[in-house]
Structure formats: C-alpha cells, structure tokens
Amino acid sequence: MSSDNKTPPTYRGLRSTDSVDISNIMSLPGVVHGLSSLPYTSELHVQHLMSDVSNKHWVIAEHKGKAVGFIYLSWPNGRWRRVAEIAMGVADNYAGQGVGFSLLKRALHTGFLYLDFERIELVVYQDNVPAITIYKKCGLQSEGSREGQVIREGIYYDSHLMGITREQYLEHQDKI
C-alpha cells in the first residue's frame, strides 16, 4: 500500500463528506492525466456528481480515514438502463498498489450481480497503459477507438472503448 503504511485500504460506499477527498484526487497530476476531468476540479463539481444517487453507485477506497480512490457506475433511464459506464480515480501515491484493480472488481461484481446490468463499459486514453492493463485483467475487451477525442496539454489523444457483458463477466469472474 502507500509507502507510509502497509495496511490495505478498506472499501465502502460514498459518504457526503467525501467530496473534498474526491476533488483532491481528481486534481492530482496522475489522475488528471488519465481522466477527462480538468485540473483543479472543484468540490462543487464533485458534489454535483455525488448528488445523482438514483443513477450512480460509488465504491470508495479509504485509508487512514481519507478517500484514496473511487469508482462509480452510472447509467441512464429507459432502454439503455441495462448499460452502465465506469469512471475511476486513484490517488497518485496509491497508484500501482492494487487499489484500482480492487475498485474495479467490486464495481463489476455490484453492477452485474446486484444492479442487474447486461453490459458495463468505459473510455480510456490510449496512453493510459496501467489502466488498460487492469481493465483487461478484469475481462474488459477493447471494442474500438476514437481518434483525437481528448485534449491534454494542448495535444489531442485517441481513446479506446472497452466493455464487458454479464456473460463475459460470469465466465471470467473466477479468474480475477
């Protein structure tokens, strides 16, 4: 785990007090590099994200009383209700320590076995190799690319759509 403690994080649901920690995570250089969030993400923006509890489910990684990572599933209403998208961020000093993998495992489990999704998908930037590795390890498959979808530091980058169906998850879950 983090260099200051070998105790692994605990995992829990979202709390109203998490907005400060999540906005701090979303503003870290490594997270800004991998997410579509802007630098200096405001706590108000995070509170807005947190307010939609009817179509979002969060899992928080907590260490020493602070959120150090998050993942959320979000889904629309109507005919697309059985398809969820994932967004995830892990504090820079916890990256590469299994936190993202653990968050993703929990989100997939909850999404398919409790929220009854048929499909879970995400968009990842082409140069986010650590995230792509985690996604593949959990059974997500590359399904296509979007050329020049995101701008970061004035340069346009491609993104990849990755997804997994319930059937694929059920076949793969004992391997993760």
Side-chain angles (χ1 to χ4, degrees), residues 22-39 41 45-46 49 58 70-72 86-92 122-125 127-128 131 135 150-153 157:
I22 293 171
S23 65
N24 287 339
I25 292 168
M26 290 177 76
S27 296
L28 293 170
V31 178
V32 169
H33 184 83
L35 287 181
S36 60
S37 60
L38 294 172
T41 300
H45 175 74
V46 173
L49 281 173
W58 295 70
F70 67 88
I71 192 167
Y72 65 83
I86 288 179
M88 176 170 60
V90 175
D92 291 359
L122 55 85
V123 175
V124 61
Y125 303 134
D127 61 344
N128 194 346
Y135 302 148
V150 66
I151 187 169
R152 181 184 341 119
E153 299 286 337
Y157 290 88

Side-chain angles (χ1 to χ4, degrees), residues 33-127:
H33 184 83
L35 287 181
S36 60
S37 60
L38 294 172
Y40 320 111
T41 300
S42 78
E43 183 183 354
L44 296 176
H45 175 74
V46 173
Q47 288 172 348
H48 178 73
L49 281 173
M50 292 170 54
S51 68
D52 182 12
V53 294
S54 63
N55 291 73
K56 229 178 237 127
H57 183 77
W58 295 70
V59 179
I60 303 297
E62 180 181 82
H63 189 247
K64 292 186 172 183
K66 289 187 69 161
V68 297
F70 67 88
I71 192 167
Y72 65 83
L73 295 154
S74 60
W75 59 92
N77 293 315
R79 296 179 355 176
W80 287 87
R81 197 240 82 30
R82 305 282 301 270
V83 177
E85 294 182 352
I86 288 179
M88 176 170 60
V90 175
D92 291 359
N93 59 331
Y94 286 82
Q97 299 177 39
V99 176
F101 179 72
S102 294
L103 285 166
L104 182 58
K105 282 187 354 183
R106 285 166 170 79
L108 293 173
H109 180 84
T110 302
F112 287 123
L113 301 180
Y114 286 87
L115 294 169
D116 198 30
F117 294 127
E118 285 296 324
R119 172 181 172 75
I120 297 175
E121 61 190 26
L122 55 85
V123 175
V124 61
Y125 303 134
Q126 67 182 17
D127 61 344

